[in-house]
Amino acid sequence: MLFVGEAEAGLADVLAGLRQAALAGADKAACLDAVAGKPGVFLPGRTPLPVQRVRALDPNAPTLLATPAHSGFVSGHAAFRDMFLIEVNRGCPYGCRFCAAGYIYRPPRQARLADLKALIEDVSPRKVGLVGTALTDWPDLLPFLTWLRGRKTKFSLASIRADGLTPELMTALRQAGLRTLTLALEAPSERLRRACNKHLAMDDLLRAVALAGKFGVNHLKFYLIVGWPGETPEDYAALGPLLASVAEAGGIGVGKRGVAHATLSVNPLVPKPFTPMQWAPMASEAAIETAYGLVREAVKPLKGFRVEVEPASMSRLQGLLARGDERLFPMLVTAARGDGLRRAVAAWGGDVGWYLDRERPADEVFPWEMIDIGVARDLLWREWQRYRQGQGSAKCPPDGCPACGRCGALL
Ligand code: SF4
């Protein structure tokens, strides 16, 4: 059995139903019968398809997060060590076409300041990690950070949009001990940033980098994606001049006054289900390696920059897992037995190229469409066409879905 959607929207009810049936002595089949009709429950082979993703929406306040998620426990052995994670927003209004979070969590919602404060007062953690998509879009971010600092609670932020970085926020982050600032560049050229709908103005990027230099940030990290459908060497030719402007704005690698060093973290595009890229081919290993070479060339003349890349073969594996179907099952079983993914794929013998290398036709039915995420397929297709035409699309309006209705997320 699977529960599809947001846990607050009914998982507790499903678990209570299972417990009640089990305590009454029901066998496995009867326990599943007891919850089969509940929203979000997916019993493969039994539940009519597609299964609706359930969402915890307050119809009177659809732009607010009804119940912000948070860590169930804090541990020195957790991936985010000794940190109490809280959810500031869910979904994202920008609609970057490569980003699953921007589509599968629609509609975008933000936490109430009072709810997060109450959570912190209840738990009294030593350190808080703010989790979300576009954290700087939350209008209460600065008041919340100031409040945390006032009660001597440490904090850290997942990542920051360049256009949301202000001197006041930078001050708060530096006071909290921030030494590395991470900004997403995403694509090497303006043309591709527009096509992927990044909504990033160069002025904003350079202003953020200059702020980092002025406020003594030690290290800047930039995310860059390569392997875009239709990318050309001209797209990479635009990267060198852009990085040179960034280096100048932040004083990167020039000495004591400025950012000491910068990292370009480069990953290939992995087309994801339920995004406009679900129809796109993935770049071949050779094309990814060529793109890495062009990035290294662009960085070569600059001081203080280093490039980190993900192995192309690992990204292709991610791509296979992202858009694979049930025929991958034997391969996953082999991998789970401890043979490792690479060896399992080699032994599997399936046609990796069929999953990764072809552009999919408009009417192809995808295996993941057994789930209805609540976002219209037509919208995703239109966004894919707009990518190919190099056209951006507007972000979700601040008034939310009732004033928009473009993707049907609230219908
Ligand atoms: S209906 Fe409009 S506001 Fe709501 S998630 Fe879709 S695009 Fe965003």
Side-chain angles (χ1 to χ4, degrees):
M1 190 199 87
L2 300 161
F3 182 79
V4 179
E6 300 177 0
E8 317 91 282
L11 181 60
D13 183 42
V14 171
L15 295 178
L18 286 173
R19 184 181 56 190
Q20 197 179 6
L23 290 177
D27 62 9
K28 182 178 167 187
C31 284
L32 294 178
D33 283 345
V35 298
K38 290 187 184 289
V41 169
F42 178 14
L43 296 169
R46 269 184 68 174
T47 307
L49 300 178
V51 185
Q52 298 286 325
R53 172 181 70 114
V54 290
R55 291 162 301 171
L57 285 174
D58 176 351
N60 298 316
T63 58
L64 292 176
L65 200 50
T67 324
H70 56 84
S71 298
F73 59 88
V74 175
S75 163
H77 300 290
F80 295 95
R81 219 169 124 196
D82 296 324
M83 200 184 286
F84 182 64
L85 301 173
I86 54 170
E87 188 184 29
V88 169
N89 50 27
R90 187 178 302 177
C92 179
Y94 289 89
C96 296
R97 292 175 176 139
F98 55 89
C99 175
Y103 289 94
I104 63 172
Y105 296 124
R106 284 190 179 200
R109 288 151 282 168
Q110 296 184 328
R112 292 178 181 88
L113 178 61
D115 288 348
L116 293 189
K117 280 185 175 178
L119 200 53
I120 300 300
E121 272 165 352
D122 186 30
V123 177
S124 281
R126 284 185 52 235
K127 187 163 186 189
V128 174
L130 280 72
V131 179
T133 45
L135 291 176
T136 48
D137 276 28
W138 187 42
D140 292 321
L141 181 63
L142 199 54
F144 184 58
L145 297 184
T146 308
W147 180 80
L148 285 175
R149 187 168 153 73
R151 65 195 313 282
K152 296 192 172 30
T153 305
K154 293 182 179 171
F155 57 81
S156 80
L157 273 60
S159 67
I160 305 250
R161 277 189 66 90
D163 52 10
L165 196 64
T166 60
E168 295 76 19
L169 179 57
M170 201 70 229
T171 304
L173 294 173
R174 288 291 290 137
Q175 284 170 345
L178 173 119
R179 289 173 62 77
T180 295
L181 181 70
T182 303
L183 299 169
L185 200 55
E186 311 299 19
S189 69
E190 177 63 30
R191 180 186 84 85
L192 286 174
R193 282 189 291 277
R194 193 178 333 107
C196 76
N197 213 28
K198 176 62 191 166
H199 296 275
L200 173 67
M202 272 311 98
D203 287 354
D204 287 330
L205 177 72
L206 296 179
R207 194 186 44 76
V209 169
L211 271 180
K214 187 173 162 197
F215 279 78
V217 170
N218 183 52
H219 176 215
L220 274 171
K221 186 168 184 171
F222 297 98
Y223 289 137
L224 182 71
I225 300 174
V226 300
W228 294 96
E231 69 180 19
T232 65
E234 286 73 47
D235 291 308
Y236 290 90
L239 184 62
L242 168 64
L243 293 178
S245 305
V246 163
E248 194 184 336
I252 297 170
V254 295
K256 285 186 179 166
R257 292 166 54 83
V259 177
H261 58 120
T263 304
L264 212 52
S265 174
V266 191
N267 289 275
L269 176 77
V270 177
K272 304 274 187 346
F274 298 122
T275 70
M277 295 293 178
Q278 64 184 353
W279 285 276
M282 185 170 175
S284 65
E285 277 191 40
I288 293 167
E289 293 297 346
T290 300
Y292 285 166
L294 293 171
V295 172
R296 289 192 183 100
E297 281 296 310
V299 167
K300 214 184 224 170
L302 301 171
K303 280 189 189 151
F305 274 78
R306 61 190 282 267
V307 176
E308 279 174 5
V309 301
E310 180 178 66
S313 58
M314 287 308 292
S315 306
R316 298 265 299 173
L317 265 179
Q318 275 188 50
L320 184 61
L321 294 175
R323 289 191 295 171
D325 56 20
E326 54 197 18
R327 285 171 290 178
L328 262 66
F329 182 68
M331 184 271 283
L332 294 175
V333 170
T334 312
R337 283 195 186 122
D339 287 6
L341 262 176
R342 273 179 220 264
R343 269 203 241 158
V345 172
W348 171 56
D351 185 356
V352 175
W354 186 87
Y355 290 96
L356 294 185
D357 297 334
R358 64 195 177 93
E359 181 173 339
R360 305 191 182 203
D363 58 355
E364 180 162 327
V365 178
F366 299 125
W368 48 91
E369 287 175 313
M370 62 174 67
I371 291 171
D372 178 359
I373 60 160
V375 173
R377 183 183 224 260
D378 285 356
L379 182 278
L380 297 178
W381 174 256
R382 276 201 308 276
E383 290 295 304
W384 169 229
Q385 297 311 303
R386 288 178 75 79
Y387 171 87
R388 287 157 36 123
Q389 292 151 8
Q391 295 176 355
S393 292
K395 56 187 270 206
C396 300
D399 300 344
C401 309
C404 171
R406 233 177 328 144
C407 74
L410 212 59
L411 301 179

